[in-house]
Amino acid sequence: MPNDVNLTKEEVTFSFSTSRAPAVLMYVSSKTQDYLAVVLRNNGSLQVRYNLGGLREPFAIDVDQRNLANGQPHSINMSRHNRSISIQ
């Protein structure tokens, strides 16, 4: 009998440095259609995209409008509990 999987939370910390955009910095998915992604958009701005709990439309949170594809080091601390996301 397979074990139940608890997909109610994640805690992620990572650093990146790039001079190219667009870019997928992180992508977490499950056996369902749920996902959580951190991306740099075409203009280098940081965006979190997610579809959790069978939502009809995915959500997008624009985190930082600066061009982060500037070759400098950047850090992200993100935690999610159910549908609440905290980003630093």
Side-chain angles (χ1 to χ4, degrees):
M1 190 157 130
N3 295 336
D4 288 336
V5 177
N6 184 346
L7 302 174
T8 61
K9 66 180 179 176
E10 289 96 21
E11 293 187 28
V12 178
T13 300
F14 66 93
S15 298
F16 71 93
S17 175
T18 186
S19 56
R20 295 189 177 191
V24 176
L25 302 175
M26 182 194 77
Y27 186 86
V28 178
S29 66
S30 66
K31 293 179 181 179
T32 65
Q33 293 182 357
D34 294 353
Y35 68 88
L36 177 63
V38 179
V39 300
L40 288 181
R41 297 172 56 193
N42 287 336
N43 64 1
S45 64
L46 186 67
Q47 186 177 67
V48 173
R49 300 175 185 172
Y50 64 98
N51 188 7
L52 303 172
L55 300 173
R56 290 184 183 183
E57 294 292 326
F59 282 94
I61 302 170
D62 293 323
V63 178
D64 199 327
Q65 295 301 314
R66 296 176 294 161
N67 181 2
L68 300 182
N70 58 9
Q72 299 298 312
H74 302 281
S75 296
I76 297 173
N77 298 317
M78 183 171 56
S79 61
R80 179 186 71 86
H81 183 50
N82 293 322
R83 292 185 180 171
S84 177
I85 295 177
S86 173
I87 304 165
Q88 290 183 317

